C-alpha cells in the first residue's frame, strides 16, 4: 500500500497562523467576524472531528479496500495522470455529497453542524461533523470500483478539505474574474453559508465551481443582498455536544413520535430539511419563491407610487 502523509495534521499549525492573521486583518478592516465563544465552539468541533476521524477513517478504508479488492473494473496506476483524473472524480463526488447533504435530512443531520455558526471566518471551516465520517463515504465508493487506489482517494479528499479552509473568510472580497469563473472562492462560499432565501442550497462546490454552473445550483454573491450566516432557524448554543447531535434528536423525534404511516416515517430520513408529512413545512425552494414574490410585489407597489 502506498504511503501518503496525513496532510490535515501537518496543516494544523497553518490553520492557527491563518486564523490569527485573519483576526488581525478583519480587525484592521473593522469587520466583526469573530466572537470568542463561537470560535471556541468551532475549534472544539474540529478537534472532535479529528479525534473521531481515527475511527471513521478505519471504517472508510475497510469499505474502500473491500470494493477495490473484490469488485474493481480496472486498476488505475498511481502516476501523474491518474492524479489529474482523481482530482476531477473526487470533486464531482464532493459536489453530489454536499448537494445531497442539503437535500436529504439523513445527511443534513450531520452536515448542519458546519452551517450552525452565525459567524463566518476561518474557524468556521473547522466546525466539522462528528457523525458524517461514518457514512458519507458512500458517495466515493464508485471510485475504487472504477479502479482508484483507496490511499489516493483519501489523499485527494484531504486535499479538497484543505483547499476549502481558506474560502471561509470575509477578509477577501473577490478573486480575479477568471478564478471566480472556475474555482470555489470566499465569495461563492459565503453564499453557501447564507440563510437568505436567495442563497439557500446554492454553491455546493468543493474546489471547482463549474459543477454548480453545470447542474443549476450556482448563485453569485450580490452586493445588494448581504449574506446572513447561520440556519433558517438557528440553534443558539455554543455547546459542542448539542451542536453535534441536536438535529439527530429532532429528526428521530419526527420519525418516531406522533401518528404517521411507516412510509412517512421513512420519508423523514430522505426528504429535505423542512419537509413534513402533513404539508405544513417549508423547503428552501418554498422560502425562495415566497421571497421572490414578496420582492416583486414590493417593487410593483413602489412603481405605482411614482
Amino acid at each position: 500500500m502506498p504511503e501518503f502523509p496525513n496532510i490535515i495534521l501537518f496543516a494544523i499549525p497553518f490553520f492557527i497562523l491563518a486564523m490569527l492573521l485573519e483576526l488581525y486583518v478583519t480587525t484592521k478592516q473593522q469587520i466583526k467576524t469573530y466572537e470568542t465563544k463561537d470560535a471556541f465552539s468551532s475549534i472544539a468541533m474540529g478537534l472532535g472531528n479529528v479525534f473521531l476521524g481515527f475511527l471513521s477513517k478505519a471504517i472508510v478504508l475497510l469499505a474502500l479496500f473491500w470494493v477495490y479488492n473484490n469488485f474493481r473494473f480496472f486498476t488505475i496506476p498511481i502516476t501523474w495522470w491518474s492524479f489529474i483524473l482523481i482530482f476531477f472524480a473526487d470533486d464531482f463526488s464532493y459536489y453530489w455529497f454536499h448537494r445531497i447533504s442539503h437535500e436529504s435530512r439523513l445527511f443534513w443531520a450531520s452536515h448542519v453542524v458546519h452551517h450552525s455558526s452565525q459567524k463566518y471566518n476561518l474557524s468556521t471551516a473547522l466546525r466539522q461533523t462528528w457523525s458524517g465520517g461514518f457514512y458519507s463515504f458512500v458517495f466515493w465508493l464508485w471510485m475504487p470500483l472504477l479502479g482508484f487506489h483507496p490511499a489516493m482517494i483519501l489523499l485527494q479528499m484531504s486535499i479538497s478539505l484543505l483547499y476549502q479552509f481558506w474560502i471561509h473568510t470575509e477578509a477577501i472580497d473577490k478573486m480575479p474574474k477568471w478564478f471566480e469563473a472556475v474555482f470555489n472562492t470566499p465569495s461563492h462560499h459565503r453564499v453557501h453559508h447564507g440563510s437568505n432565501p436567495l442563497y439557500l442550497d446554492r454553491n455546493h462546490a468543493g474546489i471547482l465551481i463549474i459543477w454548480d454552473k453545470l447542474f443549476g445550483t450556482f448563485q453569485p454573491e450580490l452586493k445588494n443582498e448581504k449574506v446572513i450566516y447561520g440556519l433558517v432557524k438557528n440553534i443558539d448554543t455554543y455547546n459542542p455536544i448539542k451542536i453535534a447531535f441536536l438535529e439527530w434528536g429532532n429528526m428521530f423525534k419526527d420519525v418516531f413520535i406522533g401518528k404517521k404511516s411507516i412510509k412517512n416515517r421513512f420519508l423523514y430520513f430522505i426528504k429535505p430539511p423542512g419537509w413534513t408529512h402533513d404539508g405544513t413545512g417549508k423547503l428552501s425552494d418554498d422560502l425562495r419563491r415566497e421571497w421572490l414574490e414578496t420582492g416583486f410585489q414590493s417593487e410593483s407597489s413602489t412603481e405605482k407610487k411614482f
Side-chain angles (χ1 to χ4, degrees):
M1 175 176 170
E3 291 289 335
F4 295 118
N6 188 335
I7 60 175
I8 298 299
L9 291 179
F10 283 110
I12 288 176
F14 163 75
F15 292 160
I16 296 170
L17 290 173
M19 285 188 288
L20 292 173
L21 178 61
E22 181 193 36
L23 180 60
Y24 172 77
V25 170
T26 53
T27 301
K28 294 284 285 185
Q29 294 176 342
Q30 296 184 329
I31 304 174
K32 296 180 180 179
T33 187
Y34 273 90
E35 199 278 325
T36 304
K37 289 183 179 180
D38 179 83
F40 276 111
S41 293
S42 295
I43 293 168
M45 298 306 300
L47 291 173
N49 176 269
V50 170
F51 177 76
L52 290 169
F54 290 110
L55 177 59
S56 64
K57 278 186 173 58
I59 296 172
V60 172
L61 266 177
L62 284 173
L64 294 177
F65 268 111
W66 180 69
V67 174
Y68 181 80
N69 290 330
N70 296 286
F71 304 105
R72 71 179 184 268
F73 297 138
F74 311 102
T75 299
I76 298 175
I78 300 175
T79 185
W80 67 269
W81 57 263
S82 60
F83 278 101
I84 296 174
L85 290 180
I86 203 170
F87 169 81
F88 287 98
D90 169 78
D91 209 51
F92 181 76
S93 297
Y94 182 86
Y95 169 82
W96 283 106
F97 147 71
H98 202 178
R99 179 169 175 174
I100 297 302
S101 292
H102 284 252
E103 296 178 353
S104 169
R105 199 168 175 195
L106 178 63
F107 290 93
W108 175 248
S110 61
H111 184 63
V112 66
V113 168
H114 187 59
H115 286 264
S116 60
S117 174
Q118 296 177 57
K119 298 292 183 179
Y120 191 76
N121 50 60
L122 292 176
S123 75
T124 309
L126 306 181
R127 186 176 286 230
Q128 295 292 330
T129 175
W130 290 0
S131 54
F134 292 95
Y135 66 106
S136 59
F137 65 87
V138 296
F139 289 91
W140 280 263
L141 286 180
W142 70 277
M143 292 172 64
L145 182 66
L146 193 62
F148 287 107
H149 193 280
M152 287 183 68
I153 298 170
L154 287 182
L155 176 64
Q156 187 57 47
M157 290 172 74
S158 296
I159 292 171
S160 177
L161 191 63
L162 187 60
Y163 175 90
Q164 292 176 63
F165 174 76
W166 76 277
I167 62 178
H168 291 82
T169 185
E170 293 187 288
I172 299 172
D173 182 20
K174 294 276 189 177
M175 300 297 290
K177 287 185 178 180
W178 68 267
F179 197 91
E180 294 276 345
V182 178
F183 294 98
N184 200 6
T185 66
S187 177
H188 295 329
H189 204 59
R190 283 193 291 270
V191 166
H192 181 71
H193 276 258
S195 61
N196 318 47
L198 179 65
Y199 294 152
L200 289 174
D201 298 346
R202 292 293 182 260
N203 299 1
H204 303 294
I207 298 176
L208 301 173
I209 200 66
I210 59 173
W211 309 119
D212 286 287
K213 294 181 177 181
L214 282 172
F215 298 113
T217 53
F218 176 69
Q219 171 61 52
E221 182 181 22
L222 304 180
K223 291 292 185 183
N224 61 349
E225 184 66 19
K226 181 175 174 56
V227 180
I228 301 171
Y229 302 110
L231 305 169
V232 172
K233 184 179 180 181
N234 288 304
I235 58 177
D236 295 323
T237 181
Y238 300 113
N239 185 324
I241 304 296
K242 289 183 178 179
I243 293 171
F245 300 112
L246 188 63
E247 179 58 18
W248 282 100
N250 291 335
M251 180 178 66
F252 284 127
K253 284 179 183 177
D254 287 337
V255 170
F256 294 111
I257 294 178
K259 293 183 178 180
K260 53 183 75 81
S261 67
I262 294 177
K263 175 183 176 182
N264 283 331
R265 293 182 192 279
F266 176 73
L267 288 176
Y268 272 105
F269 286 116
I270 62 173
K271 287 288 187 177
W275 180 86
T276 57
H277 68 285
D278 59 5
T280 58
K282 291 183 180 180
L283 309 186
S284 59
D285 286 341
D286 299 323
L287 296 172
R288 186 179 298 107
R289 183 172 57 253
E290 289 178 2
W291 180 83
L292 289 171
E293 290 173 353
T294 302
F296 289 141
Q297 289 172 4
S298 298
E299 290 176 8
S300 299
S301 298
T302 303
E303 290 174 0
K304 289 178 182 178
K305 290 179 181 179
F306 293 94

